[in-house]
Every structure is written in C-alpha cells, then in structure tokens.
Amino acid sequence: MDNKTQNADGIDFPFPFTPYSIQKDFMTELYQVLEAGKIGIFESPTGTGKSLSLICGALSWLRDFEQKKLQEEARLLETGAGSLHDEKNASPFPSSSCREAADGLRPAGEPDWVTQFVQKKEERDLVDRLKAEQVQRKKREERLQQIQHNAQLKYAAKRRRQEEEETESLLRLSREMLAARTGAEQPEQLESGEEELVLAEYQSDEERRPGSGADEDGDDLEEEHVTKIYYCSRTHSQLAQFVREVKKSPFGKDVRLVSLGSRQSLCVNEDVKSLRSVQLINDRCMELQRSKHEKKHGAEQEKPKRRRQEKQAACPFYNCEQMHLLRDEALAGVKDIEQLAALGKEAGACPYYGSRFAIPAAQLVVLPYQMLLHTATRQAAGIKLQGQVVVIDEAHNLIDTITGIYSTEVSGSQLCQSHSQLLQYMERYGKRLKAKNLMYIKQILYVLEKFVTVLGGNTRQNPSTQSLLRTGTELRTINDFLFESQVDNINLFKVQRYFEKSMVSRKLFGFTERYGAVISSREQPKLAGFQQFLQSLQPGAAEAPAAPADEGEARAPQPASPLMHIEGFLAALTTANQDGRVILSRRETLSQSSLKFLLLNPAVPFAQVVKACRAVVIAGGTMQPVSDFRQQLLACAGVDAERVVEFSCGHVIPPGNILPLVICSGVSDQPLEFTFQKRELPQMMDEAGRVLHHVCNVAPGGVVCFFPSYEYQRQVRAHWEKTGMLRRLAIRKKIFQEPKSAQQVEQVLAEYAKCIEGCDQAGGRVTGALLFSVVGGKMSEGLNFADSLGRCVVMVGMPFPNIRSPELQEKMAYLDQTLPRAPGQPPPGSALVENLCMRAVNQSIGRAIRHQQDFASIVLLDRRYARPSVLTKLPAWIRTRVDVKATFGSALAALRQFHREKSASS
C-alpha cells in the first residue's frame, strides 16, 4: 500500500515509500507555489529524490485543484439552473466573473434592467459551457476506461491498420488491372519526379495558419485544454527517466500522461526518417501533409490543379481515425517516447501528431526544453500555456539554453552556396514560376549577395579561394547591420512568411539533390557551372564520378540545404534592435568567415511563458548562483520580486559524509592561484601535480580531477609526462582521460569502473583510478560517480569563461547598461562571469555524492575559492561544511583522517 504523509497544513501526499523530511518540505513548498500562482526556484541535490518530490507534490496539487473545480462547477450548475427556472428570483447569479463582466459592459447611467439582462445572458452562457464540458469530460473518461479494461479495444488501432492494408492491397491490384487495359499515361514535359521541385503559386502575403491536419475530425483539436502540468527537461533520456519515475509513483495508474518529441524521435515513416537531418525530416513531413490537403480539396475546384500535385503521395501514417485511436491509447497508460513510437508503428498511425492530439485531455505533458521554450515550435505543437503549470527541470543552464535556441550562425560558404543554388533554380524553372515567386526569389538573392559583400567577398567566386583583405571580429546592432548590408529596405517579415509558406528551402534541396552529383547530357550546358561549383566545395569530389547510392546501403546523414540555415538567420534578424547583436567574423577566406546573430535578452521569449502560465517552477540539483535567474530572466520578464519564491533543501547524507576543502597553498607553500596568466607556469603545474599525488595516496577508489579546459588539460598532462609526475601518479592510480568523442565516453567509463572494482577486490599498490576530466565537458554533467567511483573530486583552478569572447563582452556590456548595480557589488557584467564559473564548478563537484550512504571529499585547488563572494555561490549543503586550509599540511591531515574513518566504517 502506498504510504501517505500528511503535513501540518493537512495536505495528503501519496508517496511510494516513507519520504525524507527534505522531500516533505519540498512537496509542501511546491504545493504552496502552485496554489498561490507564483514562480518557484527549487534546488534539490542529486540523490535526494527530486523527481519523485516533483511528481508527488505537483500531482497532489492537481488532484486537489480538479476536485475543487468539480465542486465549484456543481455548485454553479445547481445555482445557475435554479436561477434559470425562476426568472422572478431577484438575486443575481452568484458568479463574481459574471458581475465583473456586467459591470464592465455597463456605461454610466445604464438602466438596471439592462444590467440584469447582461447578467442573465452571462449565466446562461456559463451554464451551457459547463454542461458541454461535463459531457465532453464524461465521454473522454468512458473512452479511456474502456481502453484500459477491454483488451479488444486496446488494440483497435492495430486491427484497423491490418484491415486498411488488406483493402489497399486489393485497390492496388485493381488499379494495375485498369492501367494495363488503358495503357500508359502521356509523358510529362518535365522528367519523372521533377514536378514536385517546382514552387506552387504563391497566393498572398497575408499570413494564414497552416492546416491543423485533422481533416473531418478537426473538432477534436478544439477540445478544451484541461488544467495540466508541462514538465520539460534537456534530453530525451532524462525525460524517459522521469516517465519511469511517474510509473513507479502512486499516480502512475491514473494520471493521463503524454510524451512529446521531435519528428526525428517519433517519425515512423522510413522514407522520411532516412533523411536523418532534422530540418529535412520536418520539411518533408510538412510537404506530405500539404499534398494530402491539396488532394482532398482539389476535387472541390472546377479547374484541375497541376498534375504534379496529383502525383504527390501523402504520408500513409497520417490517418486521423488511426491517430485518434493512438491518442486514446497513449492517454490510457503512461508511455515514454520509445513506447509511443513503437505503438504508432504497430498501429500504422503517426505518433508525432497522435501525441499532439492528446495534449488537450492530458494532465501531465512531458516534453524537451526546445519544444516549450521556442515560440514557433510551441505554437505548432498546439501547446496552450494560458492558466497552466510549467515545471522546468535540470534548469541550471536555462539561460544559455534560451540564448542558444534563438541564436544562429551562417558561414560565407553557406551564403555563396545558397546564392548559386537559388540562381540555378531560377534559371531552370523561371518560366514556370508566377510573378510573386520570382519577386521573392530575387529579393532573397539580393539579400544573400549583400551579406556576402558585407563580409568582404563576392558571390561569383569560389568562397574557399577568396582571401579577405580585412580580418577580425566586429559587432553591430541589428539595425546597423541591415543598414550596412543595404537590405534595410527589404521587409524581412514578409520574406520570412514566404520561406514558411512556399517551402522554397525544401524545394531547393530537392533540386540540388537531383543535379548536384550527376547531370544528364541534355542539361549539361545549362548546369555545368552549378555542378563545378558544388564540386569545388567538396575537395576530392571531382576526382571520381559519384556512383548511385544503393538503397539498402547505410548512408551518412544528409546535410540540410544551406538555405535552411539562412532562413533561420533571417528570422532572427526580425528581433527587436535592443535585444540582439550581429557578429561579423572575418577570417582568412570567405568560406571560414561568418555572420552570427546573438540574443542578448533571453527574458523576451521567456516572458511569454511566465505571463501565460498560472505558475512556473524552475528546478535543478544545483541552481546556485540564483541571482542570474532572478535578474536576467524573471526581473527582465516583468515578474515582481514578491512573486518569486526560492527553496533550497539540504542533502540526505549525514554532515560527516562530505569533506569540502579549499586549499590555498601547495606542498612547497607555493600560493595556488591558477589565473589565466599564471596557470601555464611550470611551477604552478608542478605544484598541482604534487598536491594530486598526495591526494591519490590517501583517497581510496576513484579520484576525478577536473581541469578548466581541454587545452589546459593537454598542457598539464604533457608537462607531467615530461617531468615524470605522470609515472608517479600511475603507481597508486591507473590513469584515464575524458575522450573528445562522445561515442567513446561509455567505453572509458566502463574501463574506469572495472579498474576500480578490480583494485577493491585484489588489493595491492594500485588502489583505484584517476580520471582527468574537463569542466563543462562530457563527464561534468549527467554522469554519476557514486560510491568508489568518486571518493574524491579535485577542481584545479577556477573555470572562468573566455573573457575575450566578443559574445561574452557584448553580453556583459548589455547587462551593465540594463541591470541596476547594487551598492557594494561588482557591475552586473562582472558578476555574470563569476556566476558562469561557479555554476560550472557546482555541476562538476556534485557528481560524487549520489545517495544517503555515499561519502566523498571535494578539493578546490585555488585560494580564490576562499573569497566570501565565491563561497556564497556554492550549494548550501556544501557551503556550510567548507573548510578553508591555508597550508597544505593541515589539508592533507584532514583528508587522511576523513578517508581512514569512512573506509573503516563502510
């Protein structure tokens, strides 16, 4: 039986086991934040059951909220029905919203009977709406209960697919017989398969909403969105782990959960999925939906459409009836992305759209960061945040994530390639295109040419061989860049709409895919220059003719059309002038040069989320320093300080299970200060080696040593190898190094763990392993060094970001101009640099403690960590236990005693 915990406020939190006291506090505070409609910043160290606390706390609130809402609806329906049956009743309908509406509609001096009439109408409308919602809710609940308890209905989608396949097979045989009788069709003027490359007529500049894709069942998408919780995290693996936790929770059997993902994760059409590129998969999917709608509505028009449209096939998995069955099966039981994709494949229904159909009725929606934080993606998915709850987990990099989503970069090579491809496309199909298509294509060509010119290049020459006279990096405001590029007279909003509606990037990719490698002799004279240009961009391509790829052969991921990158860059240029910058990076050649859009104010897109939602929870294992979230995201988004609630809980480990040390001087009393100017000095690298050697002698099991950068790690290792320090370290610990390739991480970790396990069993001089890692690298986030895998974590220096980076300098200047400077505090720009450093440190040192019985020492090897301003930015559970050691001798004695006592008791 599920254990129920009742706190002082009388709230029942179902929990799968007896929760820790910090979990009770976490759930209570979370409940209060959601109830009061506030913004919560929650910090709960890894290993404290943060996911379960989020699940049980948030779903307990949702349970109580739904119960209160049902009770209120019943009361309103009862009161409303009474007033409607008794027209003589003088007392108005007791709804504050109705009274407010009536007061708002009533001008000064309006008669009372008019006010009463408005109130009566509001009453009727409200009662009708509540009755309709009740009927809809009852139908949904009955439908889901039938699926859950009836095995035959559970696999209805699969059976229906089998029936449709049999019918389609018979139809295909019939068509073949008819075709054999009537003979082959007359050949088209264009080559086979080439028709779909021609742009359709562009009707209007007015923006129209893309079709929902629901066809005759489109009313289902208009279903009222119930109050729900949107939970998002960074990766699909983290989301899958969260879904597994929901299944294990007391809410796992009853909650209506749907997992959302990208087309790349959920597409079950092998022809589309084989494109591999995210942008190509998206465009191809949209193109298939568009051809389906054109075929559906074509019969209604007197004039037949082009024959090329009749030839285009729609996606076989985009079947509304099947997707609605899939929607119900997804809501009937908790499923992660992989299970949803497998269910869609089995049922012959698109899980990408099927999951979107499930959003209105879902109580818990699980989705990646980008789908919620990117405005266009959120709207396309049918996500409505008004009055809803959003929980953003693993949010320590939230600001960087938003900045990255809305920042984009294009190279000189991409600009030239796009210009050449689009020019050849226009020459090939110019006579078939309508006037507006030609107008926009010429505008895009003009913009591309001007962007290349502003970099100092020429579109008529190979970008790889074009040397630029002027090199360096320059920053511009958006307006200054557009003016300098001489494109300030182009309406980029209209161009952006043209890209979206015409799908010109996709058409251009199909064109270059067809003619990029092999060109027929008939087209050789016209396209020779285009082929030569493409080959010049791919060294070695001209040495041997390209053979047609075998369909069954494994292919490398296809690169997206360069125009797709340009499309994103042009969209970014529509940002408000003060909220972004354009970075012109000129290198030796045009192909190496680039234009980059940098978003300076991530609060602009985040404000849309905060203003729409009832409550927002930003959670993570290490959220310190919190000031960035308060100032850069919330204050700039217009959130009042009173609405923000901070909660940070301690760790579940006993206080004596962690030993954080700040070591200010080395073995030879050399002050330890690994600044950028000093850290490459031989004496500093020698001192770090001597300290690490002593640490390896006293710490059992695994020792993880973090360096500020890959380059510094390489320099230190090379120096230690030269001086013999590496050989001395290897006497006690076998040395491993973080690989640069992500594919090798699992292998290195497996060998590292196997070595430590072998040493624990065998004994001997080698007591474990030493792992060299990099802050912000592949092993500083998302990996666990539990138990003997991480008995000591060493941080060499402070990993400050590159202060010379133009992006960082512009961001610092922007914050100095935008945010107020607190008395006695550094400027906001300088505080940003220190905050970025400490957030990276906190992520790295938190890898060692993973559960209640775990223990580890943390060595911060730099005297700057002893500064009060730095210490306050450590997580509270570490900060309260930090011991600053002025000399190395006292630090080594504390380390030896700690590990001796813990090893003896474990």
Side-chain angles (χ1 to χ4, degrees):
M1 179 181 289
D2 297 327
N3 189 15
K4 284 194 174 183
T5 297
Q6 190 171 26
N7 74 357
D9 295 330
I11 306 169
D12 288 333
F13 293 109
F15 215 75
F17 52 83
T18 303
Y20 302 126
S21 60
I22 59 174
Q23 289 177 314
K24 297 178 188 178
D25 296 340
F26 187 104
M27 290 187 292
T28 303
E29 190 69 25
L30 176 63
Y31 190 103
Q32 292 171 352
V33 165
L34 301 187
E35 182 68 15
K38 293 184 178 292
I39 310 294
I41 302 175
F42 282 72
E43 182 180 55
S44 181
T46 306
T48 57
K50 169 170 61 71
S51 295
L52 265 178
S53 300
L54 279 170
I55 292 166
C56 296
L59 291 180
S60 293
W61 171 84
L62 186 62
R63 171 204 63 201
D64 294 347
F65 178 84
E66 289 178 342
Q67 289 177 354
K68 292 175 186 175
K69 186 178 179 182
L70 288 175
Q71 292 170 359
E72 180 67 11
E73 283 184 5
R75 186 185 68 80
L76 288 173
L77 282 172
E78 183 180 355
T79 310
S83 64
L84 289 174
H85 283 93
D86 186 7
E87 294 291 338
K88 296 181 180 180
N89 190 348
S91 61
F93 184 73
S95 170
S96 60
S97 61
C98 293
R99 289 197 302 271
E100 290 171 3
D103 292 341
L105 291 171
R106 178 181 178 181
E110 186 178 78
D112 290 342
W113 68 267
V114 175
T115 303
Q116 292 174 3
F117 176 81
V118 173
Q119 288 179 346
K120 296 288 185 184
K121 186 176 185 305
E122 290 285 347
E123 293 167 16
R124 294 188 184 94
D125 292 344
L126 179 62
V127 171
D128 291 343
R129 182 174 61 81
L130 292 177
K131 286 180 178 179
E133 287 180 6
Q134 273 191 342
V135 171
Q136 197 173 47
R137 183 167 59 245
K138 188 175 180 181
K139 285 182 179 179
R140 180 180 65 236
E141 290 171 355
E142 290 176 351
R143 194 171 66 236
L144 295 182
Q145 284 178 0
Q146 286 177 345
I147 291 175
Q148 288 173 333
H149 300 102
N150 191 324
Q152 292 181 344
L153 285 174
K154 195 170 184 179
Y155 301 103
K158 181 180 178 182
R159 288 202 317 279
R160 191 177 294 276
R161 180 203 177 190
Q162 292 171 347
E163 293 172 1
E164 288 184 351
E165 285 179 348
E166 292 174 3
T167 304
E168 182 61 30
S169 177
L170 292 172
L171 284 172
R172 187 168 58 250
L173 289 172
S174 300
R175 292 191 194 102
E176 289 174 359
M177 291 175 62
L178 288 172
R181 292 178 186 174
T182 57
E185 295 182 1
Q186 293 298 318
E188 298 283 343
Q189 292 182 351
L190 296 175
E191 296 178 13
S192 175
E194 194 178 1
E195 302 89 343
E196 63 181 23
L197 301 178
V198 183
L199 289 163
E201 181 177 356
Y202 188 65
Q203 299 291 344
S204 172
D205 287 337
E206 296 301 319
E207 187 175 12
R208 294 179 300 180
R209 282 193 170 277
S212 64
D215 291 333
E216 67 276 0
D217 296 321
D219 292 341
D220 280 13
L221 284 182
E222 299 303 320
E223 182 179 354
E224 186 71 21
H225 284 236
V226 302
T227 301
K228 65 180 88 281
I229 297 167
Y230 287 97
Y231 172 90
C232 60
S233 192
R234 290 188 306 129
T235 65
H236 282 299
S237 61
Q238 290 170 339
L239 295 173
Q241 176 62 32
F242 178 81
V243 172
R244 288 193 290 271
E245 293 288 339
V246 173
K247 284 183 179 179
K248 292 189 296 184
S249 77
F251 297 91
K253 293 182 180 179
D254 300 321
V255 68
R256 298 191 303 274
L257 179 148
V258 62
S259 297
L260 302 182
S262 62
R263 286 183 175 89
Q264 191 177 35
S265 301
L266 286 173
C267 181
V268 291
N269 186 329
E270 293 299 330
D271 292 338
V272 177
K273 201 169 185 178
S274 63
L275 295 173
R276 306 204 184 167
S277 163
V278 176
Q279 188 66 52
L280 293 179
I281 290 174
N282 289 342
D283 284 353
R284 182 57 179 156
C285 176
M286 293 299 296
E287 191 172 6
L288 289 175
Q289 308 324 313
R290 177 174 163 180
S291 68
K292 180 183 179 75
H293 295 307
E294 285 174 351
K295 290 171 80 173
K296 176 178 174 60
H297 299 295
E300 300 172 5
Q301 300 179 359
E302 292 184 1
K303 288 188 177 181
K305 286 182 179 273
R306 289 184 180 181
R307 299 185 68 168
R308 65 179 182 84
Q309 292 176 347
E310 296 171 6
K311 280 192 165 188
Q312 289 178 338
C315 179
F317 296 93
Y318 192 80
N319 180 299
C320 287
E321 191 171 0
Q322 293 291 95
M323 288 190 294
H324 290 150
L325 289 171
L326 178 66
R327 170 202 63 189
D328 293 341
E329 290 190 29
L331 291 173
V334 174
K335 297 173 183 64
D336 61 22
I337 286 289
E338 288 74 17
Q339 292 169 326
L340 190 61
L343 183 64
K345 193 168 186 178
E346 185 177 306
C350 175
Y352 176 77
Y353 283 103
S355 60
R356 287 169 58 175
F357 290 174
I359 293 174
Q363 296 168 307
L364 181 57
V365 179
V366 180
L367 69 167
Y369 273 177
Q370 290 77 1
M371 190 169 285
L372 183 117
L373 298 174
H374 190 258
T375 305
T377 306
R378 183 171 68 244
Q379 292 172 349
I383 295 170
K384 297 180 180 179
L385 296 181
Q386 192 64 43
Q388 308 293 8
V389 171
V390 165
V391 177
I392 303 174
D393 201 2
E394 300 297 333
H396 55 275
N397 284 333
L398 179 60
I399 295 175
D400 294 337
T401 300
I402 298 174
T403 302
I405 289 174
Y406 287 91
S407 297
T408 181
E409 184 174 14
V410 293
S411 67
S413 179
Q414 289 171 330
L415 291 168
C416 287
Q417 198 172 0
S418 298
H419 186 275
S420 178
Q421 290 176 0
L422 197 57
L423 191 63
Q424 294 289 339
Y425 179 91
M426 189 176 69
E427 290 179 1
R428 168 71 174 166
Y429 302 120
K431 293 181 181 179
R432 292 177 173 270
L433 299 178
K434 299 294 183 181
K436 282 195 173 179
N437 274 317
L438 287 173
M439 179 189 75
Y440 278 108
I441 288 177
K442 288 179 179 179
Q443 282 189 358
I444 296 169
L445 285 170
Y446 174 81
V447 169
L448 292 172
E449 183 177 353
K450 291 301 180 181
F451 284 175
V452 171
T453 302
V454 83
L455 282 174
N458 190 322
T459 56
R460 291 183 292 275
Q461 298 177 20
N462 189 329
S464 300
T465 58
Q466 282 192 67
S467 298
L468 301 186
L469 298 176
R470 187 174 47 155
T471 60
T473 302
E474 298 178 5
L475 285 97
R476 299 283 188 276
T477 64
I478 298 174
N479 289 346
D480 288 345
F481 170 74
L482 295 176
F483 183 78
E484 184 178 343
S485 303
Q486 299 178 9
V487 296
D488 52 312
N489 59 328
I490 301 291
N491 189 329
L492 293 181
F493 291 95
K494 286 188 175 183
V495 173
Q496 183 185 359
R497 284 202 299 271
Y498 177 74
F499 269 111
E500 293 171 356
K501 292 175 63 179
S502 70
M503 299 180 71
V504 62
S505 299
R506 170 64 197 171
K507 302 289 186 182
L508 189 61
F509 178 80
F511 173 70
T512 55
E513 196 177 39
R514 183 179 184 87
Y515 291 111
V518 180
I519 302 177
S520 63
S521 57
R522 180 171 61 86
E523 300 298 334
Q524 188 70 33
K526 185 177 289 186
L527 299 177
F530 177 53
Q531 181 187 22
Q532 183 179 1
F533 176 79
L534 288 179
Q535 289 178 344
S536 70
L537 295 179
Q538 301 171 354
E543 296 175 6
D550 185 6
E551 292 183 2
E553 193 176 317
R555 295 180 297 173
Q558 294 177 328
S561 163
L563 193 60
M564 295 176 185
H565 295 281
I566 311 300
E567 183 178 346
F569 182 72
L570 290 175
L573 292 179
T574 60
T575 306
N577 183 59
Q578 69 273 16
D579 294 330
R581 296 289 183 272
V582 178
I583 302 173
L584 291 77
S585 179
R586 299 184 179 93
R587 300 289 179 255
E588 293 182 0
T589 63
L590 178 59
S591 62
Q592 297 172 332
S593 304
S594 64
L595 299 173
K596 181 177 181 179
F597 173 81
L598 175 66
L599 180 70
L600 293 177
N601 188 5
V604 172
F606 193 66
Q608 300 172 13
V609 176
V610 172
K611 290 175 182 177
C613 291
R614 171 194 177 95
V616 176
V617 174
I618 304 171
T622 51
M623 297 298 290
Q624 293 292 337
V626 177
S627 58
D628 284 353
F629 297 101
R630 276 188 167 273
Q631 296 175 1
Q632 293 185 46
L633 271 189
L634 302 179
C636 290
V639 178
D640 293 334
E642 295 78 18
R643 195 186 170 195
V644 181
V645 175
E646 287 184 34
F647 176 84
S648 180
C649 63
H651 213 293
V652 293
I653 59 169
N657 277 24
I658 181 174
L659 178 65
L661 296 176
V662 175
I663 301 181
C664 299
S665 59
V667 179
S668 60
D669 291 332
Q670 170 79 33
L672 297 177
E673 192 168 355
F674 292 86
T675 62
F676 188 76
Q677 294 79 15
K678 297 178 181 178
R679 68 185 188 185
E680 295 179 12
L681 297 174
Q683 58 266 34
M684 292 301 297
M685 291 189 280
D686 289 339
E687 203 65 36
R690 284 191 283 267
V691 171
L692 189 58
H693 179 255
H694 283 284
V695 170
C696 289
N697 284 337
V698 300
V703 175
V704 184
C705 181
F706 284 100
F707 293 91
S709 67
Y710 284 105
E711 176 59 23
Y712 188 60
Q713 177 189 256
R714 185 195 64 77
Q715 291 177 354
V716 171
R717 178 162 183 153
H719 180 77
W720 287 350
E721 194 167 3
K722 181 180 177 181
T723 60
M725 178 55 71
L726 208 61
R727 187 175 63 255
R728 293 170 58 192
L729 290 170
I731 294 174
R732 302 293 288 177
K733 305 285 184 185
K734 185 175 179 180
I735 298 174
F736 294 85
Q737 182 170 321
E738 175 182 323
K740 286 192 175 182
S741 171
Q743 288 75 19
Q744 297 175 333
V745 170
E746 291 296 331
Q747 179 186 348
V748 171
L749 284 176
E751 293 174 358
Y752 172 76
K754 185 178 179 180
C755 172
I756 293 172
E757 184 180 356
C759 292
D760 288 344
Q761 296 172 355
R765 293 189 67 186
V766 179
T767 61
L770 171 62
L771 176 62
F772 292 149
S773 190
V774 175
V775 177
K778 301 167 188 65
M779 296 184 177
S780 63
E781 289 188 38
L783 297 177
N784 299 336
F785 294 106
D787 299 319
S788 59
L789 295 184
R791 288 303 181 203
C792 182
V793 175
V794 180
M795 181 67 62
V796 179
M798 297 185 72
F800 283 103
N802 181 11
I803 196 69
R804 299 175 184 172
S805 162
E807 291 95 333
L808 182 57
Q809 289 181 349
E810 193 65 21
K811 180 76 173 181
M812 291 170 63
Y814 174 80
L815 292 179
D816 287 340
Q817 294 171 5
T818 307
L819 299 179
R821 180 177 179 177
Q825 297 296 320
S830 302
L832 169 70
V833 175
E834 192 171 272
N835 289 348
L836 290 172
C837 168
M838 291 309 298
R839 187 167 289 115
V841 169
N842 294 339
Q843 279 298 305
S844 299
I845 62 180
R847 301 294 98 199
I849 302 293
R850 314 308 287 179
H851 57 83
Q852 190 174 20
Q853 285 76 38
D854 206 356
F855 67 90
S857 57
I858 298 172
V859 176
L860 301 175
L861 213 58
D862 197 306
R863 66 180 183 179
R864 290 175 293 175
Y865 283 110
R867 296 174 183 171
S869 63
V870 174
L871 286 174
T872 57
K873 292 174 182 176
L874 288 169
W877 64 279
I878 295 178
R879 181 175 66 246
T880 55
R881 304 169 192 179
V882 167
D883 193 0
V884 177
K885 298 294 185 181
T887 61
F888 180 73
S890 59
L892 183 61
L895 274 173
R896 183 179 287 112
Q897 182 181 358
F898 173 81
H899 284 291
R900 185 183 292 126
E901 291 176 355
K902 292 303 169 187
S903 298
S905 61
S906 61

